[in-house]
């Protein structure tokens, strides 16, 4: 229901375009829009998920076979440090490099096992997933076809003045489009750029790295640097200095700046919230609602701010009257 509603709001302009061509065929216009959603959204997402599972299993096998050795760069880093620096770093937080190496390996191996296990679970959950997908597409069809009537009923049912009702519903629509365009689309672009540079440098699992960058890019302020900075440092310590410097430069001047340039262009005036509010709303949404929280969190925050604005405006008007 959530994603059917979000997709209906996002693709409503596409539905209206079809309706202009087929004014007497609302069912055909809605069906055509659903087909567009399947082709542009669902099929690419399915291909990416299948590729991620494949690369995750491959990464797990390479770690198990010893092709990827996390201990080697740590040994090089320890050897490169002077005796005084090594002793100080060890005393600062009680760091045990050998224990750290074992810890890193223990984190990577279960993650790979989990990804490999999902490859089996996907087959078991296919029926449930397909059923949920069909229900979503079914709801999407009717939300597109009857969206204007439903919107009118909601406007009539809300116990607010028409101007306040319009402000709340418009804020909700703008927040949905702003969240998808300004957060999800920017995250996808950053993930694509990250996967591209990993592929060009010949690094392991570029699609998986790009997906992780897209995922962490959903968090404002922190962003994709949580992935490419450790990867670049790993390359530098491992002796691949040129690749490490290229990744640092690309991450800083291309991936990092993409957020600063693209987000204002894509969002515009759609979602007027400070970055710290978006960050807290996203983290709170993820903690409360799981994966869907990266959309629900900013939406709840936007609706709260809109309601607050309406309430504050009413208080100001009441003071003027008094």
């Amino acid at each position: 229901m959530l994603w059917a509603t979000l997709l209906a709001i996002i693709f409503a302009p596409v539905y209206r375009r079809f309706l202009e061509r087929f004014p007497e065929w609302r069912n055909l216009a809605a069906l055509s829009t659903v087909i567009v959603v399947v082709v542009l959204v669902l099929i690419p997402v399915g291909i990416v998920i299948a590729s991620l599972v494949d690369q995750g299993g491959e990464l797990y096998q390479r770690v198990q076979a010893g092709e990827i050795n996390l201990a080697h760069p740590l040994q090089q880093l320890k050897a490169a440090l002077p005796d005084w620096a090594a002793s100080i770093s060890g005393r600062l937080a009680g760091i045990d490099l050998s224990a750290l190496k074992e810890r890193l390996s223990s984190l990577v191996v279960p993650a790979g096992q989990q990804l490999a296990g999902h490859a089996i679970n996907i087959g078991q959950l296919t029926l449930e997933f397909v059923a949920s997908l069909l229900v979503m597409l079914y709801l999407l069809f009717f939300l597109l076809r009857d969206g204007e009537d439903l919107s009118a009923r909601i406007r009539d049912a809300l116990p607010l003045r028409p101007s306040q009702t319009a402000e709340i519903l418009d804020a909700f629509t703008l927040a949905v489009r702003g969240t998808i365009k300004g957060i999800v689309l920017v995250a996808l672009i950053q993930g694509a750029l990250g996967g591209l540079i990993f592929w060009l440098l010949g690094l392991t699992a570029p699609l998986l790295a790009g997906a992780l960058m897209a995922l962490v890019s959903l968090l404002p302020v922190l962003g994709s640097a949580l992935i490419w900075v450790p990867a670049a440092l790993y390359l530098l310590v491992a002796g691949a200095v040129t690749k490490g410097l290229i990744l640092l430069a690309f991450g800083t001047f291309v991936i990092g700046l993409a957020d600063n340039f693209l987000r204002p262009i894509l969002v515009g005036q759609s979602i007027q919230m400070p970055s710290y509010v978006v960050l807290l709303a996203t983290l709170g949404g993820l903690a409360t609602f799981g994966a869907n929280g990266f959309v629900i969190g900013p939406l709840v925050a936007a609706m709260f701010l809109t309601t607050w604005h309406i309430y504050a405006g009413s208080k100001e008007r009441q003071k003027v009257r008094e």
Side-chain angles (χ1 to χ4, degrees):
M1 291 179 63
L2 170 68
W3 285 103
T5 303
L6 297 179
L7 290 173
I9 293 174
I10 295 169
F11 285 89
V14 178
Y15 167 73
R16 286 194 289 268
R17 289 285 185 89
F18 282 120
L19 195 59
E20 290 176 0
R21 295 191 176 185
F22 316 109
E24 303 298 329
W25 300 82
R26 296 172 59 189
N27 288 334
L28 179 60
L31 179 61
S32 301
T33 308
V34 171
I35 293 174
V36 170
V37 172
V38 172
V39 173
L40 295 183
V41 179
L42 299 183
I43 292 178
V45 168
I47 294 174
V48 170
I49 291 176
S51 301
L52 286 177
V53 172
D54 182 64
Q55 287 199 359
E58 180 183 353
L59 179 63
Y60 165 68
Q61 292 176 356
R62 294 188 63 181
V63 173
Q64 286 290 83
E67 298 181 23
I68 299 178
N69 186 6
L70 297 176
H72 181 64
L74 292 174
Q75 292 172 348
Q76 287 185 324
L77 177 61
K78 183 178 180 181
L81 290 175
D83 294 337
W84 62 269
S87 61
I88 292 176
S89 64
R91 290 197 300 267
L92 283 177
I95 298 175
D96 184 354
L97 289 179
S98 60
L100 181 59
K101 291 183 292 186
E102 296 178 359
R103 180 59 178 166
L104 288 174
S105 298
S106 66
L107 288 175
V108 172
V109 171
Q113 290 175 335
Q114 187 175 9
L115 287 172
H118 282 326
I120 301 175
N121 292 335
I122 285 176
Q124 299 174 349
L125 298 176
T126 298
L127 181 60
E128 178 183 349
F129 173 77
V130 170
S132 300
L133 183 63
L134 291 177
V135 171
M136 189 270 287
L137 293 176
Y138 179 80
L139 290 174
L140 176 61
F141 173 84
F142 287 102
L143 288 175
L144 288 169
R145 193 191 69 176
D146 304 326
E148 293 184 1
D149 296 336
L150 290 174
S151 178
R153 291 186 179 186
I154 293 174
R155 291 174 186 270
D156 295 337
L158 289 178
L160 299 171
R161 289 196 295 268
S163 60
Q164 295 175 336
T165 301
E167 186 174 356
I168 288 180
L169 293 181
D170 290 343
F172 179 77
T173 301
L174 291 176
V176 169
R177 293 175 180 170
T179 300
I180 299 298
K181 289 166 56 179
I183 298 178
V184 177
L185 187 56
V186 171
L188 292 176
I189 293 174
Q190 288 186 310
L193 291 172
L196 176 63
I197 190 62
F198 267 63
W199 177 71
L200 292 175
L201 294 177
L203 302 180
T204 303
L207 185 60
L208 182 60
L212 291 175
M213 289 189 203
L215 182 63
V216 298
S217 295
L218 295 172
L219 300 176
V221 182
L222 304 175
S224 58
L226 291 174
I227 302 298
W228 60 261
V229 169
L233 295 178
Y234 175 91
L235 292 173
L236 292 174
V237 174
V241 179
T242 302
K243 290 184 178 180
L245 292 176
I246 291 175
L247 183 55
L248 278 176
F250 190 87
T252 302
F253 297 106
V254 179
I255 300 177
L257 293 181
D259 180 74
N260 297 329
F261 284 105
L262 292 177
R263 195 180 296 273
I265 296 174
L266 294 174
V267 180
Q269 301 297 319
S270 297
I271 180 169
Q272 300 177 355
M273 287 191 294
S275 59
Y276 66 88
V277 175
V278 178
L279 174 62
L280 293 176
T282 304
L283 292 175
L286 291 171
T288 306
F289 301 103
N292 292 326
F294 75 87
V295 174
I296 299 177
L299 287 180
V300 171
M303 296 304 296
F304 171 78
L305 292 176
T306 301
T307 305
W308 183 274
H309 178 263
I310 292 175
Y311 175 76
S314 299
K315 295 289 288 186
E316 288 295 329
R317 287 192 293 270
Q318 185 177 358
K319 290 180 180 180
V320 172
R321 292 172 184 173
E322 294 176 353

